[in-house]
Amino acid sequence: MDWNDSIRAKGLKSMHGTAEFLIAGATLISGAFIAVAICSRLGVPSIVGFLLAGMALGPHGLELIEGEATLGAIGELGVILLLFMLGLEFSLGKLMELRRLIFGVGLLQVATTSGLVATVLWGVFSVAPLPAVLVGGAVAMSSTALCLKTLAQENALGRPEGRAAIAVLLFQDLAALFFLVLHDAGATGASVVHGLGVFAAGAVGLSVLLFLARKVLQPLSIWVAQQSASELSQLLAISVAMTVSAGATYLGLSPAVGAFAAGMMIGEGDARHTVEREIRPFRDLFLGIFFIGLGSQLDLSNISEQFVTIIIWLGILIPFKALLVYLSVRISGHASPEALRVSAILSHGGEFSLMLLSVAMASGVLNSALGGPLLLAIGLTLLVAPFMVQHAARRSIDSQSNPT
């Protein structure tokens, strides 16, 4: 009887755990559906609906969903697939064409934004150099996932503004790794030079591996595209994206960078359109969960207590950052209207901003009195950003439709 009771107890516990998982999943998907449906009805970008769903259902709202780590892990897959699909659009030749934008405009934007913010914090407010630089880096970042999804929905990725914004975002993703290396060195006492050396070695290693794998993957992707089983394309794309992203992480690089490189490698072949079509539904679903996870991190209950500080940070994140982006793009030779639209696309905070601030505050490198209000301000810009990106993309289309 004792043995039977033990088996029965384990079965009940397993059923209870399964029920909790199903309830959480149903709550998550249903809440997202309601929020996105309302936004769609009102003509509001779907990303806002996902963010609002996360805020409402998460630990700072109704507390109906838990497990932020799980949400983040699932959502990260959406970002990986998004960057993989972006890589499909960019052959090595196209990337070389953008090198001046990536390492010119991107470098200038990140350097000026982070440098000016860090200098003011250090020189005027006596903030220590390391947290000042990390805060400057957080301000310099924009949301790659949000920009790419909105620009893709508006068919603006191939326009001059879209290409310039993508180039800057790619450099921002690379720069985020530098800021994380800088943080880790400051938090653990390790050498920054050593961390950057590991990063460079990892980049070389990933490049070599991709070059060797290219000779196998391109003919394989062409063969898969010729088959009638659509799931083959789905499995190939997801397995390649996840494998290369895991390899990039192991080598000390961002998984998003690895996914972009993998997509670019397959995009060199003739199977690009088939692979892109088959994985789009997975990308949109997982990316939605990513934005729900971002929304669940936002606690807006302290806005009234830190209102003035948040307003100051919003002024830095939107008009000040937009001005620096505008000047950086203008210096690269773009016309003023195009530079204005790029500045509207990028003048907000991003997921790397939230991650960098959260990690720095958790390790004690950054004081929560400084990082907390900025974290809230970045969250507010994420709610406004979809409208700004959408408006800039539509202005770009209108300008090309009516050139006079």
Side-chain angles (χ1 to χ4, degrees):
M1 291 295 293
D2 292 340
W3 183 78
N4 289 332
D5 290 341
S6 176
I7 294 295
R8 188 179 295 110
K10 289 182 180 179
L12 291 173
K13 183 178 180 180
S14 176
M15 290 178 62
H16 179 68
T18 302
E20 286 186 344
F21 173 78
L22 291 175
I23 291 172
T27 303
L28 176 70
I29 301 301
S30 300
F33 171 77
I34 293 171
V36 173
I38 293 174
C39 287
S40 177
R41 178 64 177 170
L42 297 175
V44 174
S46 61
I47 292 174
V48 176
F50 286 119
L51 290 170
L52 292 175
M55 292 169 60
L57 301 175
H60 304 298
L62 300 175
E63 301 182 0
L64 295 179
I65 57 174
E66 298 178 355
E68 293 180 39
T70 303
L71 282 179
I74 297 174
E76 185 66 27
L77 180 56
V79 178
I80 287 172
L81 293 179
L82 179 69
L83 268 295
F84 177 80
M85 291 186 66
L86 178 64
L88 291 175
E89 298 288 337
F90 283 85
S91 63
L92 186 60
K94 287 184 178 180
L95 190 65
M96 293 303 293
E97 291 177 8
L98 289 177
R99 65 186 184 279
R100 188 169 64 89
L101 289 174
I102 296 173
F103 297 102
V105 181
L107 174 60
L108 186 59
Q109 183 270 321
V110 172
T112 53
T113 306
S114 59
L116 286 173
V117 171
T119 300
V120 171
L121 289 175
W122 176 63
V124 178
F125 297 100
S126 301
V127 177
L130 178 59
V133 171
L134 294 179
V135 169
V139 173
M141 299 294 112
S142 306
S143 175
T144 301
L146 186 151
C147 290
L148 294 185
K149 181 172 174 60
T150 308
L151 289 172
Q153 288 176 336
E154 299 296 330
N155 295 318
L157 284 174
R159 302 185 182 278
E161 298 86 350
R163 289 163 63 87
I166 289 168
V168 175
L169 289 166
L170 287 174
F171 186 85
Q172 287 181 0
D173 287 346
L174 292 173
L177 300 176
F178 165 77
F179 289 114
L180 288 174
V181 169
L182 194 65
H183 165 269
D184 292 344
T188 62
S191 169
V192 177
V193 175
H194 176 266
L196 294 177
V198 172
F199 170 76
V204 172
L206 181 64
S207 300
V208 172
L209 290 175
L210 288 175
F211 178 78
L212 295 175
R214 179 183 178 187
K215 297 184 181 299
V216 176
L217 283 176
Q218 283 195 357
L220 179 61
S221 63
I222 293 174
W223 177 81
V224 166
Q226 294 171 346
Q227 308 307 305
S228 58
S230 61
E231 59 269 18
L232 282 176
S233 297
Q234 298 166 357
L235 291 170
L236 175 66
I238 294 175
S239 62
V240 170
M242 293 184 67
T243 301
V244 177
S245 297
T249 305
Y250 180 78
L251 293 171
L253 303 174
S254 165
V257 173
F260 177 80
M264 191 171 64
M265 179 177 57
I266 290 183
E268 293 281 347
D270 298 327
R272 175 169 64 88
H273 296 294
T274 301
V275 173
E276 181 181 7
R277 182 181 67 249
E278 295 299 339
I279 67 171
R280 187 181 298 276
F282 295 94
R283 180 206 68 178
D284 292 340
L285 176 61
F286 290 131
L287 196 60
I289 295 176
F290 170 77
F291 285 113
I292 293 174
L294 276 185
S296 69
Q297 298 177 37
L298 304 180
D299 182 8
L300 304 184
S301 61
N302 297 324
I303 286 183
S304 59
E305 301 174 8
Q306 303 169 324
F307 183 76
V308 175
T309 308
I310 292 173
I311 292 297
I312 293 173
W313 278 121
L314 286 174
I316 295 172
L317 281 163
I318 298 180
F320 173 72
K321 184 177 177 181
L323 174 62
L324 294 179
V325 172
Y326 171 81
L327 293 175
S328 300
V329 177
R330 283 289 286 148
I331 291 173
S332 73
H334 281 71
S336 181
E338 292 177 2
L340 281 173
R341 288 191 283 269
V342 176
S343 66
I345 291 171
L346 298 176
S347 57
H348 60 272
E351 54 272 7
F352 277 124
S353 305
L354 297 176
M355 181 181 69
L356 191 60
L357 292 174
S358 300
V359 168
M361 287 191 290
S363 66
V365 171
L366 178 62
N367 191 316
S368 59
L370 175 61
L374 176 56
L375 202 67
L376 288 174
I378 289 170
L380 292 174
T381 66
L382 285 172
L383 291 173
V384 178
F387 299 98
M388 298 175 64
V389 178
Q390 185 182 70
H391 177 72
R394 291 178 178 177
R395 286 292 299 272
S396 173
I397 295 172
D398 292 341
S399 67
Q400 293 200 1
S401 301
N402 304 288
T404 57

